[in-house]
PDB file of all heavy atoms in Angstrom:
ATOM      1  N   ALA A 116     -92.617 -82.822 -14.664  1.00  0.00           N
ATOM      2  CA  ALA A 116     -91.644 -81.765 -14.393  1.00  0.00           C
ATOM      3  C   ALA A 116     -91.495 -80.927 -15.656  1.00  0.00           C
ATOM      4  O   ALA A 116     -91.615 -81.439 -16.772  1.00  0.00           O
ATOM      5  CB  ALA A 116     -90.298 -82.364 -13.983  1.00  0.00           C
ATOM      6  N   LEU A 117     -91.234 -79.640 -15.476  1.00  0.00           N
ATOM      7  CA  LEU A 117     -91.090 -78.718 -16.599  1.00  0.00           C
ATOM      8  C   LEU A 117     -89.721 -78.077 -16.573  1.00  0.00           C
ATOM      9  O   LEU A 117     -89.315 -77.504 -15.555  1.00  0.00           O
ATOM     10  CB  LEU A 117     -92.167 -77.630 -16.539  1.00  0.00           C
ATOM     11  CG  LEU A 117     -92.133 -76.602 -17.671  1.00  0.00           C
ATOM     12  CD1 LEU A 117     -92.541 -77.246 -18.996  1.00  0.00           C
ATOM     13  CD2 LEU A 117     -93.042 -75.418 -17.336  1.00  0.00           C
ATOM     14  N   ASP A 118     -89.023 -78.212 -17.678  1.00  0.00           N
ATOM     15  CA  ASP A 118     -87.740 -77.557 -17.907  1.00  0.00           C
ATOM     16  C   ASP A 118     -87.966 -76.388 -18.846  1.00  0.00           C
ATOM     17  O   ASP A 118     -88.677 -76.525 -19.847  1.00  0.00           O
ATOM     18  CB  ASP A 118     -86.811 -78.511 -18.662  1.00  0.00           C
ATOM     19  CG  ASP A 118     -85.738 -79.127 -17.816  1.00  0.00           C
ATOM     20  OD1 ASP A 118     -85.815 -79.112 -16.595  1.00  0.00           O
ATOM     21  OD2 ASP A 118     -84.808 -79.638 -18.449  1.00  0.00           O
ATOM     22  N   LEU A 119     -87.354 -75.281 -18.571  1.00  0.00           N
ATOM     23  CA  LEU A 119     -87.314 -74.166 -19.518  1.00  0.00           C
ATOM     24  C   LEU A 119     -85.850 -73.833 -19.752  1.00  0.00           C
ATOM     25  O   LEU A 119     -85.124 -73.501 -18.802  1.00  0.00           O
ATOM     26  CB  LEU A 119     -88.054 -72.943 -18.974  1.00  0.00           C
ATOM     27  CG  LEU A 119     -89.572 -73.069 -18.850  1.00  0.00           C
ATOM     28  CD1 LEU A 119     -90.161 -71.823 -18.212  1.00  0.00           C
ATOM     29  CD2 LEU A 119     -90.212 -73.319 -20.200  1.00  0.00           C
ATOM     30  N   GLY A 120     -85.420 -73.971 -20.986  1.00  0.00           N
ATOM     31  CA  GLY A 120     -84.035 -73.684 -21.319  1.00  0.00           C
ATOM     32  C   GLY A 120     -83.038 -74.539 -20.562  1.00  0.00           C
ATOM     33  O   GLY A 120     -81.928 -74.102 -20.270  1.00  0.00           O
ATOM     34  N   GLY A 121     -83.427 -75.750 -20.221  1.00  0.00           N
ATOM     35  CA  GLY A 121     -82.526 -76.659 -19.523  1.00  0.00           C
ATOM     36  C   GLY A 121     -82.542 -76.559 -18.015  1.00  0.00           C
ATOM     37  O   GLY A 121     -81.788 -77.237 -17.333  1.00  0.00           O
ATOM     38  N   THR A 122     -83.416 -75.720 -17.472  1.00  0.00           N
ATOM     39  CA  THR A 122     -83.509 -75.531 -16.024  1.00  0.00           C
ATOM     40  C   THR A 122     -84.872 -76.014 -15.531  1.00  0.00           C
ATOM     41  O   THR A 122     -85.910 -75.614 -16.074  1.00  0.00           O
ATOM     42  CB  THR A 122     -83.340 -74.039 -15.662  1.00  0.00           C
ATOM     43  OG1 THR A 122     -82.075 -73.599 -16.133  1.00  0.00           O
ATOM     44  CG2 THR A 122     -83.438 -73.822 -14.162  1.00  0.00           C
ATOM     45  N   LEU A 123     -84.868 -76.849 -14.516  1.00  0.00           N
ATOM     46  CA  LEU A 123     -86.109 -77.310 -13.909  1.00  0.00           C
ATOM     47  C   LEU A 123     -86.785 -76.125 -13.227  1.00  0.00           C
ATOM     48  O   LEU A 123     -86.209 -75.490 -12.348  1.00  0.00           O
ATOM     49  CB  LEU A 123     -85.828 -78.411 -12.892  1.00  0.00           C
ATOM     50  CG  LEU A 123     -87.018 -78.943 -12.101  1.00  0.00           C
ATOM     51  CD1 LEU A 123     -88.001 -79.653 -13.017  1.00  0.00           C
ATOM     52  CD2 LEU A 123     -86.548 -79.878 -11.002  1.00  0.00           C
ATOM     53  N   VAL A 124     -88.010 -75.814 -13.652  1.00  0.00           N
ATOM     54  CA  VAL A 124     -88.722 -74.679 -13.065  1.00  0.00           C
ATOM     55  C   VAL A 124     -89.911 -75.093 -12.206  1.00  0.00           C
ATOM     56  O   VAL A 124     -90.354 -74.309 -11.364  1.00  0.00           O
ATOM     57  CB  VAL A 124     -89.183 -73.653 -14.126  1.00  0.00           C
ATOM     58  CG1 VAL A 124     -87.983 -73.013 -14.807  1.00  0.00           C
ATOM     59  CG2 VAL A 124     -90.111 -74.273 -15.140  1.00  0.00           C
ATOM     60  N   ALA A 125     -90.424 -76.304 -12.435  1.00  0.00           N
ATOM     61  CA  ALA A 125     -91.583 -76.739 -11.641  1.00  0.00           C
ATOM     62  C   ALA A 125     -91.779 -78.236 -11.783  1.00  0.00           C
ATOM     63  O   ALA A 125     -91.311 -78.858 -12.733  1.00  0.00           O
ATOM     64  CB  ALA A 125     -92.852 -76.015 -12.100  1.00  0.00           C
ATOM     65  N   SER A 126     -92.497 -78.773 -10.815  1.00  0.00           N
ATOM     66  CA  SER A 126     -92.919 -80.169 -10.888  1.00  0.00           C
ATOM     67  C   SER A 126     -94.282 -80.267 -10.216  1.00  0.00           C
ATOM     68  O   SER A 126     -94.719 -79.337  -9.539  1.00  0.00           O
ATOM     69  CB  SER A 126     -91.899 -81.093 -10.222  1.00  0.00           C
ATOM     70  OG  SER A 126     -91.760 -80.793  -8.852  1.00  0.00           O
ATOM     71  N   GLY A 127     -94.918 -81.383 -10.424  1.00  0.00           N
ATOM     72  CA  GLY A 127     -96.222 -81.598  -9.814  1.00  0.00           C
ATOM     73  C   GLY A 127     -96.656 -83.026 -10.043  1.00  0.00           C
ATOM     74  O   GLY A 127     -96.002 -83.776 -10.764  1.00  0.00           O
TER      75      GLY A 127
END
Side-chain angles (χ1 to χ4, degrees):
L117 180 69
D118 255 17
L119 291 176
T122 301
L123 176 65
V124 296
S126 62

